[in-house]
Amino acid sequence: GTIPPQLGIFWQLQELYLDGNAISGTIPPETGKLSQLNILSLNTNSISGTIPPETSKLSQLEWLDLANNDISGTVPPQLNNLPLTNCDLGGTNHFACPLPA
C-alpha cells in the first residue's frame, strides 16, 4: 500500500512507525502537517521519490528513520533546523551529494 495524504489530518500524532510494511509510493507532502510528530520511522519499505520539503515543518521531530527504501534526490537542507537526535537515511537510498552537514 501507500501512505495516504489524509494522514495529514492527524496533526496531534506524536509517533509514526511503519517499518517493514511493504509501503510503496512517495512520502506525501501532507506529512508536513503532523505538527506534533516526534518520531517518523518508515525504514525497510519500498518508498520512492524524494523527501518532501514540507518535512522541514515538523518542528518537534527528533527521530527520522527513512533507511532502506528507494528514496533519491537531495536531502532538504532545512532538516538541519529540526531538533533531530537520530537521523538514518542510509541503506538502499540513493541521495545526491552533498548531504546536509
Side-chain angles (χ1 to χ4, degrees), residues 18-36:
L18 295 174
D19 305 340
N21 278 291
I23 296 169
S24 59
T26 61
I27 300 171
E30 291 82 1
T31 305
K33 296 179 181 177
L34 302 174
S35 60
Q36 301 300 310

PDB file of all heavy atoms in Angstrom, residues 18-36:
ATOM      1  N   LEU A  18       6.031   2.818  10.731  1.00  0.00           N
ATOM      2  CA  LEU A  18       5.503   1.998   9.646  1.00  0.00           C
ATOM      3  C   LEU A  18       6.643   1.173   9.031  1.00  0.00           C
ATOM      4  O   LEU A  18       6.682   0.940   7.828  1.00  0.00           O
ATOM      5  CB  LEU A  18       4.839   2.882   8.585  1.00  0.00           C
ATOM      6  CG  LEU A  18       3.589   3.645   9.032  1.00  0.00           C
ATOM      7  CD1 LEU A  18       3.102   4.583   7.946  1.00  0.00           C
ATOM      8  CD2 LEU A  18       2.485   2.683   9.444  1.00  0.00           C
ATOM      9  N   ASP A  19       7.558   0.723   9.864  1.00  0.00           N
ATOM     10  CA  ASP A  19       8.719  -0.031   9.406  1.00  0.00           C
ATOM     11  C   ASP A  19       8.303  -1.391   8.831  1.00  0.00           C
ATOM     12  O   ASP A  19       7.451  -2.070   9.394  1.00  0.00           O
ATOM     13  CB  ASP A  19       9.695  -0.285  10.563  1.00  0.00           C
ATOM     14  CG  ASP A  19      10.123   0.984  11.273  1.00  0.00           C
ATOM     15  OD1 ASP A  19      10.001   2.066  10.688  1.00  0.00           O
ATOM     16  OD2 ASP A  19      10.592   0.879  12.422  1.00  0.00           O
ATOM     17  N   GLY A  20       8.955  -1.778   7.730  1.00  0.00           N
ATOM     18  CA  GLY A  20       8.788  -3.115   7.180  1.00  0.00           C
ATOM     19  C   GLY A  20       7.378  -3.478   6.781  1.00  0.00           C
ATOM     20  O   GLY A  20       6.960  -4.617   6.976  1.00  0.00           O
ATOM     21  N   ASN A  21       6.638  -2.544   6.225  1.00  0.00           N
ATOM     22  CA  ASN A  21       5.249  -2.796   5.850  1.00  0.00           C
ATOM     23  C   ASN A  21       5.013  -2.846   4.341  1.00  0.00           C
ATOM     24  O   ASN A  21       3.875  -2.723   3.896  1.00  0.00           O
ATOM     25  CB  ASN A  21       4.336  -1.727   6.460  1.00  0.00           C
ATOM     26  CG  ASN A  21       4.003  -2.033   7.900  1.00  0.00           C
ATOM     27  OD1 ASN A  21       3.292  -2.978   8.181  1.00  0.00           O
ATOM     28  ND2 ASN A  21       4.555  -1.246   8.809  1.00  0.00           N
ATOM     29  N   ALA A  22       6.073  -2.999   3.561  1.00  0.00           N
ATOM     30  CA  ALA A  22       5.964  -3.074   2.096  1.00  0.00           C
ATOM     31  C   ALA A  22       5.240  -1.854   1.517  1.00  0.00           C
ATOM     32  O   ALA A  22       4.493  -1.968   0.546  1.00  0.00           O
ATOM     33  CB  ALA A  22       5.290  -4.375   1.662  1.00  0.00           C
ATOM     34  N   ILE A  23       5.459  -0.686   2.124  1.00  0.00           N
ATOM     35  CA  ILE A  23       4.845   0.544   1.638  1.00  0.00           C
ATOM     36  C   ILE A  23       5.568   0.998   0.381  1.00  0.00           C
ATOM     37  O   ILE A  23       6.798   0.997   0.326  1.00  0.00           O
ATOM     38  CB  ILE A  23       4.904   1.646   2.713  1.00  0.00           C
ATOM     39  CG1 ILE A  23       4.058   1.226   3.922  1.00  0.00           C
ATOM     40  CG2 ILE A  23       4.445   2.987   2.165  1.00  0.00           C
ATOM     41  CD1 ILE A  23       4.250   2.095   5.131  1.00  0.00           C
ATOM     42  N   SER A  24       4.793   1.359  -0.634  1.00  0.00           N
ATOM     43  CA  SER A  24       5.371   1.868  -1.874  1.00  0.00           C
ATOM     44  C   SER A  24       4.875   3.293  -2.087  1.00  0.00           C
ATOM     45  O   SER A  24       4.169   3.850  -1.264  1.00  0.00           O
ATOM     46  CB  SER A  24       4.978   0.965  -3.047  1.00  0.00           C
ATOM     47  OG  SER A  24       3.567   0.908  -3.158  1.00  0.00           O
ATOM     48  N   GLY A  25       5.250   3.863  -3.217  1.00  0.00           N
ATOM     49  CA  GLY A  25       4.842   5.240  -3.500  1.00  0.00           C
ATOM     50  C   GLY A  25       5.788   6.219  -2.823  1.00  0.00           C
ATOM     51  O   GLY A  25       6.914   5.886  -2.476  1.00  0.00           O
ATOM     52  N   THR A  26       5.298   7.429  -2.621  1.00  0.00           N
ATOM     53  CA  THR A  26       6.121   8.504  -2.086  1.00  0.00           C
ATOM     54  C   THR A  26       5.649   8.914  -0.689  1.00  0.00           C
ATOM     55  O   THR A  26       4.580   8.521  -0.243  1.00  0.00           O
ATOM     56  CB  THR A  26       6.062   9.732  -3.010  1.00  0.00           C
ATOM     57  OG1 THR A  26       4.711  10.175  -3.087  1.00  0.00           O
ATOM     58  CG2 THR A  26       6.568   9.399  -4.412  1.00  0.00           C
ATOM     59  N   ILE A  27       6.468   9.714  -0.033  1.00  0.00           N
ATOM     60  CA  ILE A  27       6.065  10.323   1.240  1.00  0.00           C
ATOM     61  C   ILE A  27       5.202  11.525   0.872  1.00  0.00           C
ATOM     62  O   ILE A  27       5.671  12.448   0.212  1.00  0.00           O
ATOM     63  CB  ILE A  27       7.287  10.778   2.054  1.00  0.00           C
ATOM     64  CG1 ILE A  27       8.200   9.594   2.358  1.00  0.00           C
ATOM     65  CG2 ILE A  27       6.842  11.477   3.342  1.00  0.00           C
ATOM     66  CD1 ILE A  27       9.538   9.970   2.959  1.00  0.00           C
ATOM     67  N   PRO A  28       3.932  11.535   1.257  1.00  0.00           N
ATOM     68  CA  PRO A  28       3.073  12.652   0.853  1.00  0.00           C
ATOM     69  C   PRO A  28       3.480  13.960   1.531  1.00  0.00           C
ATOM     70  O   PRO A  28       3.866  13.960   2.714  1.00  0.00           O
ATOM     71  CB  PRO A  28       1.671  12.217   1.284  1.00  0.00           C
ATOM     72  CG  PRO A  28       1.873  11.167   2.312  1.00  0.00           C
ATOM     73  CD  PRO A  28       3.212  10.547   2.053  1.00  0.00           C
ATOM     74  N   PRO A  29       3.410  15.087   0.803  1.00  0.00           N
ATOM     75  CA  PRO A  29       3.735  16.384   1.390  1.00  0.00           C
ATOM     76  C   PRO A  29       2.890  16.694   2.626  1.00  0.00           C
ATOM     77  O   PRO A  29       3.326  17.412   3.519  1.00  0.00           O
ATOM     78  CB  PRO A  29       3.453  17.388   0.279  1.00  0.00           C
ATOM     79  CG  PRO A  29       3.346  16.603  -0.968  1.00  0.00           C
ATOM     80  CD  PRO A  29       3.025  15.196  -0.591  1.00  0.00           C
ATOM     81  N   GLU A  30       1.691  16.125   2.692  1.00  0.00           N
ATOM     82  CA  GLU A  30       0.794  16.368   3.829  1.00  0.00           C
ATOM     83  C   GLU A  30       1.383  15.886   5.149  1.00  0.00           C
ATOM     84  O   GLU A  30       0.927  16.277   6.224  1.00  0.00           O
ATOM     85  CB  GLU A  30      -0.561  15.689   3.581  1.00  0.00           C
ATOM     86  CG  GLU A  30      -1.380  16.324   2.486  1.00  0.00           C
ATOM     87  CD  GLU A  30      -0.984  15.864   1.078  1.00  0.00           C
ATOM     88  OE1 GLU A  30      -0.071  15.031   0.932  1.00  0.00           O
ATOM     89  OE2 GLU A  30      -1.587  16.355   0.115  1.00  0.00           O
ATOM     90  N   THR A  31       2.415  15.058   5.085  1.00  0.00           N
ATOM     91  CA  THR A  31       3.103  14.616   6.295  1.00  0.00           C
ATOM     92  C   THR A  31       3.622  15.828   7.070  1.00  0.00           C
ATOM     93  O   THR A  31       3.709  15.802   8.296  1.00  0.00           O
ATOM     94  CB  THR A  31       4.266  13.665   5.933  1.00  0.00           C
ATOM     95  OG1 THR A  31       3.742  12.584   5.156  1.00  0.00           O
ATOM     96  CG2 THR A  31       4.923  13.102   7.163  1.00  0.00           C
ATOM     97  N   GLY A  32       3.933  16.905   6.365  1.00  0.00           N
ATOM     98  CA  GLY A  32       4.409  18.133   6.997  1.00  0.00           C
ATOM     99  C   GLY A  32       3.388  18.800   7.894  1.00  0.00           C
ATOM    100  O   GLY A  32       3.725  19.707   8.659  1.00  0.00           O
ATOM    101  N   LYS A  33       2.131  18.356   7.855  1.00  0.00           N
ATOM    102  CA  LYS A  33       1.086  18.914   8.716  1.00  0.00           C
ATOM    103  C   LYS A  33       1.042  18.252  10.093  1.00  0.00           C
ATOM    104  O   LYS A  33       0.282  18.672  10.960  1.00  0.00           O
ATOM    105  CB  LYS A  33      -0.282  18.762   8.045  1.00  0.00           C
ATOM    106  CG  LYS A  33      -0.413  19.551   6.765  1.00  0.00           C
ATOM    107  CD  LYS A  33      -1.772  19.346   6.139  1.00  0.00           C
ATOM    108  CE  LYS A  33      -1.900  20.109   4.833  1.00  0.00           C
ATOM    109  NZ  LYS A  33      -3.191  19.851   4.192  1.00  0.00           N
ATOM    110  N   LEU A  34       1.862  17.219  10.298  1.00  0.00           N
ATOM    111  CA  LEU A  34       1.867  16.496  11.576  1.00  0.00           C
ATOM    112  C   LEU A  34       2.726  17.266  12.579  1.00  0.00           C
ATOM    113  O   LEU A  34       3.810  16.839  12.976  1.00  0.00           O
ATOM    114  CB  LEU A  34       2.389  15.066  11.370  1.00  0.00           C
ATOM    115  CG  LEU A  34       1.599  14.221  10.366  1.00  0.00           C
ATOM    116  CD1 LEU A  34       2.283  12.891  10.124  1.00  0.00           C
ATOM    117  CD2 LEU A  34       0.168  14.022  10.837  1.00  0.00           C
ATOM    118  N   SER A  35       2.216  18.385  13.017  1.00  0.00           N
ATOM    119  CA  SER A  35       2.996  19.365  13.780  1.00  0.00           C
ATOM    120  C   SER A  35       3.492  18.872  15.135  1.00  0.00           C
ATOM    121  O   SER A  35       4.418  19.448  15.699  1.00  0.00           O
ATOM    122  CB  SER A  35       2.188  20.653  13.966  1.00  0.00           C
ATOM    123  OG  SER A  35       0.985  20.383  14.662  1.00  0.00           O
ATOM    124  N   GLN A  36       2.922  17.811  15.672  1.00  0.00           N
ATOM    125  CA  GLN A  36       3.338  17.291  16.980  1.00  0.00           C
ATOM    126  C   GLN A  36       4.231  16.057  16.858  1.00  0.00           C
ATOM    127  O   GLN A  36       4.614  15.471  17.872  1.00  0.00           O
ATOM    128  CB  GLN A  36       2.109  16.950  17.828  1.00  0.00           C
ATOM    129  CG  GLN A  36       1.183  18.108  18.077  1.00  0.00           C
ATOM    130  CD  GLN A  36       1.876  19.250  18.803  1.00  0.00           C
ATOM    131  OE1 GLN A  36       2.531  19.038  19.822  1.00  0.00           O
ATOM    132  NE2 GLN A  36       1.773  20.447  18.272  1.00  0.00           N
TER     133      GLN A  36
END
